[in-house]
Amino acid sequence: YTIDARFMSQRMPSIVGRANIQANMSRIIQSGINKIDIKLENLYGTADLLAEEGEMTVFAGGNAVQVLKFIVLWKKEDGKWKRFREIYNSNLPVE
């Protein structure tokens, strides 16, 4: 993630900054999520900014627990591609 990255998940405020996002990812892993299958559908961009969109299936144990759609913006920082913005939400209907 870039220094000024923003992670936008459903039903919670945005998480801003690399350290905060890494702490959130650690909590996700500790919750029992042990596998994510990603299906990349499209990739758009320029020499400095890429947009990736697709779907992912999230697993806990051997069970699929969510199917999500996502967009990730990648930006070059210090000559390396890093996540700049990330947003996802569920494909399940609102209850």
Side-chain angles (χ1 to χ4, degrees), residues 5-65:
R6 183 175 295 262
F7 183 84
M8 296 165 279
S9 166
Q10 56 194 11
R11 296 187 291 270
M12 62 186 289
S14 295
I15 300 170
V16 180
R18 179 185 298 149
N20 294 328
I21 294 169
Q22 288 172 333
N24 182 67
M25 291 300 178
S26 178
R27 286 189 295 274
I28 289 171
I29 292 167
Q30 291 172 6
S31 76
I33 302 301
N34 63 348
K35 179 181 173 186
I36 298 176
D37 285 341
I38 295 175
K39 177 184 171 193
L40 180 62
E41 294 176 347
N42 291 296
L43 184 65
Y44 313 94
T46 66
D48 297 314
L49 187 68
L50 295 173
E52 169 188 16
E53 68 177 283
E55 288 193 354
M56 61 181 156
T57 304
V58 179
F59 294 84
N63 302 315
V65 294

